Amino acid sequence: MIGVLAMKNQIIEKIFRVVIYLRLSDEDGDNQESDSISNQRILNRGFLEGKQEFQIVKECVDDGYTGTNFNRPGFQEMMRLIENGEADCIVVKDLSRFGRDFSGVLQYVERILPKMGVRLILVNDQYDSIAPNHDFITLRLKSFINDIYPADTSRSVRSNLHAKMVHGQCVAPFASYGFLKSPEDKHQLMIDPVAGSVVKDIFHLKLKGHSLNDIAENLNLRGILTPLAYKRICLKQNLKTGFKVSGNNQWEATMVRRILLDERYTGVLIQGKTTTPNHKVKKLIRKEADEWVRYENAFDGAIDKHTYEVVQNLMSRDTRKSAKGLALLGGLVECADCHQSMVRKSPNGTNYYYVCSTSLYEKTCSPHSISEEKLIEAVRKSVMHYISLIVELNEILSYVKTASIPQQKLYEEDLQLKMLEQESERILKIKMNLYNSFCEGLLDEEEFKSYKKKYDASLKQTEEAIKKQRTEIADMQAALENQQEWMKHFLVYKDREEIDRIMLTMLVKRICVDSKKRLTIHFWFADEFERLISLLSTVNKVQPDTGIENFLHNFSESIKVSKYQAK
C-alpha cells in the first residue's frame, strides 16, 4: 500500500509534456458526429483539465487521413517532437484514433513508445501506459477490430461505387475538361458551354487536317486557358494531376492528343480505369481496357461517335503538310498493293503526284504514281455518285417503311438468316463428329475439350447472331430507322457539287490506288450499307417492287467498295 502511494506521488511530481493527437477519416468509415475533430478536442482537453502533472505542448491534427498507415503529417510532427525531447506523453481519444493498422499500432504501443520513455493515454479505452497491470489482451483485441473495420468499410465503399458506375453515375470528384457536374444531380454530367466549345474546336481543326502542334499553337494564339488552368482559375477547383505540367500554362501537343483520344467526349461514361491492391496500399494499378466500366449515352457528348471514329482514323495516318498547307487528300491515299501511305510529290513545284512511299524509299513495291489532279476528279465523281445512291436509297426506305410485309415470309427469304442457320447446323455436326472421334479413341480427352471449347464459342456467337437477325426482321420498321441514322452523314452533302477536306474525311475512310491506277474508295458505314442492301433484297423477294428492283439492279456488284479508273 505504501509502495502504491509512493508511485502516485512520484507520478504527480513529474510534469509530463503532452501532445494531444486528433484524427478523422472518411475513408476509414469513421463516425463523423462522434469522432469529429472538435469532439475529440473537447474530450481530450476535458480529461487533462485540472491535472497539474500535464502540460500541453502541442496539438497535432490529421483531418482526412486514413489510420491504416502512419504517413500522416500530424502523426509525423508528433513523433518529431518526441524524438527532439520536446514531449514525452501522448493523449488520444482511443486506439482507433491513434491508428488502424494492427501490427503497426502494437509496434508503437508495446515497443517504440516504451523504449522512448513516452507515456500513452487512451481516454475512452481507459488505458494509461504508466499504470501497472495493463490488460494487453483487450488492447490487442481492440487493435485487431480497428484493423478489420476499415477493411470492411473499404469493401463496402468499393461495392457501392461499382454499382453506381454500372448504372451510369459519375463517381469522380470532378468532371473531365469540357463537362460540368449537374447542379441537380452531382452524379450526372453536362456540357460546359465554355470548355465544351474548345473541345469541339479541337476536333474540328483535326478534321480540317491540322497537326497536334498546329492546334496547340492555334489555342495559344487565341489565349485559351489549358484544361488545368481553366479548372483552377475559372471553376475554382483545387486540382492535382498525374500528368507532367509545365509552368507556362501553354497548350502542348500532348494535351491536344489526350483530348482527341478521349472517347468520353462522345457521351460514353468510362470509369474504373485504376484500382489499388487494398485499403492499406495506395499504389495505383491501371486496369486493362476490358475491365473498365462503360456506360453508353450517359450524357450529351461534345461530339458524335462518327466524328470521333474519323479523328481516330486520321490520327493513325500521315497527315504532314507542305509549305502550302495540307493537301485535300492528305493522309487518305494508300497503295493498294503494299497498303502503305502514298506521299505527295512534285517534280517541278506545279504538278503534283501521289507516289507509293514504299517504292520511293524502300524499293520493295512496284513503282507507280498517279496525278493529283486526276485523282481528285475521280474521287469527286465517286463521292458524288455514292451520295446520289444514298439519296435514292433513303427515298426507297421511306416507301418500304409504309409497306405491309408478312413477317413469316421475311424469315423464309432472308439470305443472311439462312446462312447463319446453315452455319449453326455445320457447327453442330462438327461437335457430333468430335464426340464420335473421342469415343473411338481418335482424340484424347485434352484434345476433345480444346476443340469442344472452340466450337462451343462459335456456336454461341452464331446463335446470338441468329437471334439478332430474327429480332430485326420482327421489327423491320425499327431496323430501317436505325439504318437511316448513319445515312444522315451523307445526306447533309446531297446538294454539294464540289468536295472539301471535312466532307472527304467524314465520308471516305481511305483511297487505295494500285499499279494500274485503279482506285478503290472505301466509304464509312460500308457494313451498314451492305446490311441495308441485304434487307431490301429480302423485302423485294417477299413483296416485289419495281423501284427496289431497279435500284438493286443498278447497284454495283461490290457493296463495300466502289472502284473507279483515273484516266
Side-chain angles (χ1 to χ4, degrees):
M1 184 69 178
I2 294 174
V4 174
L5 289 172
M7 183 176 290
K8 286 183 178 180
N9 291 332
Q10 185 179 355
I11 293 173
I12 292 173
E13 287 173 4
K14 178 176 172 59
I15 302 299
F16 286 92
R17 292 161 298 170
V18 176
V19 177
I20 297 176
Y21 181 67
L22 315 172
R23 186 188 67 80
L24 183 67
S25 169
D26 292 336
E27 194 174 337
D28 292 346
D30 294 336
N31 189 310
Q32 299 297 306
E33 184 64 31
S34 62
D35 289 335
S36 69
I37 295 297
S38 58
N39 282 349
Q40 291 179 53
R41 182 178 290 115
I42 292 170
L43 180 71
N44 291 336
R45 289 186 177 273
F47 171 79
L48 296 173
E49 188 176 356
K51 294 182 173 64
Q52 298 178 0
E53 68 268 29
F54 296 114
Q55 178 187 347
I56 300 175
V57 174
K58 182 77 174 179
E59 181 180 274
C60 296
V61 182
D62 281 319
D63 193 355
Y65 288 86
T66 179
T68 57
N69 62 65
F70 297 97
N71 297 324
R72 316 171 222 148
F75 188 89
Q76 296 298 326
E77 181 185 9
M78 176 180 71
M79 294 308 297
R80 280 195 298 270
L81 290 172
I82 292 172
E83 290 169 0
N84 295 335
E86 299 175 38
D88 55 9
C89 181
I90 300 173
V91 175
V92 62
K93 177 191 172 185
D94 55 42
L95 196 61
S96 69
R97 300 303 91 210
F98 187 84
R100 288 189 180 276
D101 178 47
F102 176 68
S103 59
V105 167
L106 293 183
Q107 185 78 3
Y108 272 98
V109 173
E110 297 182 359
R111 295 188 179 185
I112 297 175
L113 297 183
K115 186 176 181 180
M116 299 175 72
V118 177
R119 182 179 179 182
L120 175 64
I121 298 175
L122 308 173
V123 180
N124 274 6
D125 290 336
Q126 298 179 357
Y127 173 85
D128 189 342
S129 63
I130 205 170
N133 303 322
H134 302 305
D135 187 355
F136 283 113
I137 295 178
T138 302
L139 192 69
R140 285 177 176 238
L141 183 60
K142 286 183 178 181
S143 181
F144 180 67
I145 294 172
N146 290 336
D147 192 314
I148 293 175
Y149 185 67
D152 186 59
T153 302
S154 175
R155 283 191 293 270
S156 177
V157 169
R158 289 188 186 214
S159 177
N160 290 337
L161 288 176
H162 186 267
K164 288 181 178 180
M165 292 179 193
V166 170
H167 287 87
Q169 297 185 29
C170 178
V171 299
F174 300 103
S176 302
Y177 178 73
F179 297 101
L180 296 171
K181 290 284 188 90
S182 170
E184 288 80 22
D185 184 354
K186 66 179 182 179
H187 296 303
Q188 300 299 320
L189 299 180
M190 55 185 287
I191 295 177
D192 182 338
V194 177
S197 65
V198 175
V199 171
K200 291 177 182 179
D201 284 348
I202 290 173
F203 276 89
H204 184 73
L205 288 169
K206 187 59 187 174
L207 288 175
K208 291 177 69 176
H210 291 268
S211 68
L212 302 182
N213 284 321
D214 286 343
I215 297 173
E217 185 178 348
N218 178 288
L219 296 172
N220 288 327
L221 289 175
R222 290 161 56 190
I224 304 295
L225 291 174
T226 62
L228 187 60
Y230 174 76
K231 289 187 175 185
R232 286 177 174 173
I233 296 172
C234 300
L235 302 182
K236 308 299 181 185
Q237 296 176 354
N238 184 22
L239 294 176
K240 294 181 181 179
T241 178
F243 298 110
K244 184 178 180 180
V245 180
S246 60
N248 55 9
N249 285 327
Q250 293 285 299
W251 281 87
E252 297 177 356
T254 52
M255 299 179 188
V256 176
R257 178 181 177 82
R258 205 176 297 141
I259 287 175
L260 291 174
L261 293 177
D262 197 337
E263 192 181 356
R264 290 176 295 182
Y265 290 115
T266 65
V268 57
L269 186 60
I270 304 175
Q271 302 181 103
K273 290 185 175 183
T274 60
T275 186
T276 56
N278 54 56
H279 67 289
K280 293 184 180 181
V281 181
K282 300 305 176 186
K283 180 182 178 181
L284 284 180
I285 299 174
R286 295 195 175 276
K287 295 182 179 179
E288 296 295 330
D290 58 359
E291 296 182 279
W292 298 350
V293 181
R294 296 172 56 91
Y295 193 92
E296 300 289 341
N297 303 316
F299 45 86
D300 292 334
I303 58 166
D304 60 66
K305 292 185 183 298
H306 179 52
T307 299
Y308 177 80
E309 290 176 355
V310 170
V311 167
Q312 304 317 298
N313 181 51
L314 294 175
M315 294 277 281
S316 65
R317 295 183 171 274
D318 183 3
T319 55
R320 287 175 292 181
K321 63 181 182 181
S322 65
K324 295 183 179 180
L326 184 74
L328 178 65
L329 305 179
L332 295 177
V333 187
E334 69 177 46
C335 174
D337 301 325
C338 66
H339 300 292
Q340 296 301 310
S341 297
M342 295 188 74
V343 293
R344 184 172 178 258
K345 295 290 181 180
S346 174
N348 53 18
T350 303
N351 300 314
Y352 285 88
Y353 295 85
Y354 276 94
V355 184
C356 172
S357 58
T358 306
S359 67
L360 187 66
Y361 302 118
E362 300 178 14
K363 311 298 182 182
T364 56
C365 188
S366 60
H368 56 278
S369 62
I370 186 170
S371 165
E372 180 186 45
E373 183 180 356
K374 293 180 178 179
L375 179 59
I376 289 176
E377 179 59 22
V379 170
R380 186 191 69 81
K381 290 180 179 179
S382 167
V383 171
M384 294 306 173
H385 174 65
Y386 203 82
I387 291 175
S388 68
L389 286 176
I390 300 293
V391 171
E392 187 178 352
L393 190 57
N394 187 54
E395 293 173 354
I396 291 174
L397 289 182
S398 298
Y399 159 73
V400 172
K401 285 164 61 178
T402 61
S404 177
I405 304 170
Q407 191 178 108
Q408 185 58 37
K409 285 286 186 181
L410 288 173
Y411 285 136
E412 295 171 0
E413 296 295 337
D414 189 85
L415 181 61
Q416 190 167 354
L417 182 61
K418 286 181 178 179
M419 292 173 61
L420 288 170
E421 289 174 341
Q422 288 172 3
E423 177 64 10
S424 177
E425 291 176 4
R426 185 185 73 85
I427 295 173
L428 285 171
K429 288 180 181 178
I430 291 175
K431 288 183 65 179
M432 180 61 70
N433 291 334
L434 283 174
Y435 180 73
N436 292 334
S437 297
F438 172 65
C439 292
E440 294 171 5
L442 298 176
L443 292 175
D444 59 32
E445 185 175 356
E446 185 177 346
E447 289 175 325
F448 172 70
K449 287 182 177 179
S450 176
Y451 285 122
K452 183 178 181 298
K453 182 178 180 181
K454 174 185 175 181
Y455 286 107
D456 280 346
S458 298
L459 183 61
K460 182 180 179 181
Q461 185 177 0
T462 305
E463 288 175 344
E464 288 176 353
I466 291 173
K467 183 179 178 181
K468 181 181 178 182
Q469 187 77 355
R470 285 184 170 274
T471 301
E472 286 189 358
I473 293 173
D475 194 353
M476 176 65 76
Q477 185 171 353
L480 294 176
E481 287 177 355
N482 290 335
Q483 290 293 329
Q484 283 184 301
E485 283 299 312
W486 64 264
M487 295 170 62
K488 293 177 182 177
H489 295 290
F490 289 85
L491 294 174
V492 294
Y493 299 108
K494 65 180 181 179
D495 297 324
R496 288 282 192 96
E497 295 182 0
E498 298 297 330
I499 56 177
D500 59 29
R501 174 69 185 181
I502 291 183
M503 177 181 176
L504 273 180
T505 55
M506 292 296 285
L507 303 185
V508 176
K509 185 178 289 187
R510 64 185 183 277
I511 303 164
C512 297
V513 183
D514 67 15
S515 57
K516 295 182 180 180
K517 294 182 173 53
R518 289 178 300 190
L519 314 184
T520 304
I521 301 178
H522 297 257
F523 290 93
W524 286 99
F525 304 104
D527 290 338
E528 286 81 355
F529 202 151
E530 180 182 10
R531 172 69 188 123
L532 192 50
I533 296 299
S534 175
L535 281 173
L536 286 178
S537 298
T538 302
V539 169
N540 194 52
K541 287 179 182 179
V542 174
Q543 191 167 300
D545 178 85
T546 305
I548 298 176
E549 183 71 34
N550 290 336
F551 175 81
L552 295 174
H553 178 73
N554 295 329
F555 186 68
S556 171
E557 290 183 0
S558 176
I559 296 174
K560 287 190 175 182
V561 296
S562 297
K563 296 186 177 181
Y564 295 84
Q565 181 81 34
K567 299 180 180 178

